[in-house]
């Protein structure tokens, strides 16, 4: 397993799989990072990659609509326990898989 995949596995494993995920609700571009993370949790890299590319085409790159304020991460429930899921890093890394 390559280093990128290990990081994606580890980080997605930390996700709490929230009901009505605050990360996705907070995105001004209407991206759905929780859905991508869910696919990663199911080891479905292909689906996560397709979803990320579709969102890129439809809504543009991460950081464009929020001016790099990363509302997804700032609203991540996991952040209340220890640290938020590295959503931005997941979004950028999934294109390599
Ligand atoms: S808010 Fe954080 S913990 Fe909840 S689904 Fe989104 S990434 Fe996972």
């Amino acid at each position: 397993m390559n280093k990128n995949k290990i990081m994606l596995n580890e980080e997605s494993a930390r996700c709490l799989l929230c009901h009505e995920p605050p990360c996705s609700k907070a995105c001004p571009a209407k991206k759905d990072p929780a859905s991508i993370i869910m696919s990663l949790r199911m080891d479905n890299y292909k689906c996560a990659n397709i979803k990320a590319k579709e969102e890129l085409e439809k809504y543009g790159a991460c950081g464009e609509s929020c001016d790099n304020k990363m509302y997804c991460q700032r609203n991540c429930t996991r952040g209340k326990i220890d640290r938020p899921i590295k959503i931005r890093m997941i979004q950028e890394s999934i294109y390599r898989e």
Side-chain angles (χ1 to χ4, degrees), residues 7-19:
M7 182 281 296
L8 286 168
N9 275 352
E10 286 184 356
E11 207 52 34
S12 62
R14 294 180 59 247
C15 174
L16 303 171
L17 307 178
C18 304
H19 176 62

Side-chain angles (χ1 to χ4, degrees), residues 14-15 43-44 46 54 59 68 77 85 88 91 93:
R14 294 180 59 247
C15 174
D43 278 336
N44 195 339
K46 192 175 179 185
E54 279 176 0
Y59 308 120
N68 290 314
T77 312
I85 307 299
R88 182 72 178 270
Q91 295 269 24
S93 302

Side-chain angles (χ1 to χ4, degrees), residues 46-88:
K46 192 175 179 185
C47 185
N49 184 289
I50 289 168
K51 283 179 189 171
K53 283 179 178 165
E54 279 176 0
E55 287 190 351
L56 177 68
E57 238 173 66
K58 243 170 145 177
Y59 308 120
C62 277
E64 274 180 14
S65 292
C66 68
D67 197 22
N68 290 314
K69 297 231 172 10
M70 295 197 284
Y71 296 115
C72 52
Q73 282 186 210
R74 288 163 68 174
N75 284 278
C76 174
T77 312
R78 183 74 202 219
K80 293 176 184 161
I81 298 170
D82 45 22
R83 59 183 170 80
I85 307 299
K86 295 177 183 169
I87 298 168
R88 182 72 178 270

Side-chain angles (χ1 to χ4, degrees), residues 4-5 8-9 12 31-57 62 87 89-97:
N4 192 50
K5 219 166 201 166
L8 286 168
N9 275 352
S12 62
K31 289 193 173 204
D32 189 4
S35 170
I36 290 170
I37 292 169
M38 177 69 89
S39 295
L40 290 173
R41 281 288 285 273
M42 301 293 129
D43 278 336
N44 195 339
Y45 289 84
K46 192 175 179 185
C47 185
N49 184 289
I50 289 168
K51 283 179 189 171
K53 283 179 178 165
E54 279 176 0
E55 287 190 351
L56 177 68
E57 238 173 66
C62 277
I87 298 168
M89 191 175 71
I90 289 174
Q91 295 269 24
E92 288 168 356
S93 302
I94 193 63
Y95 299 125
R96 289 183 233 136
E97 294 303 324

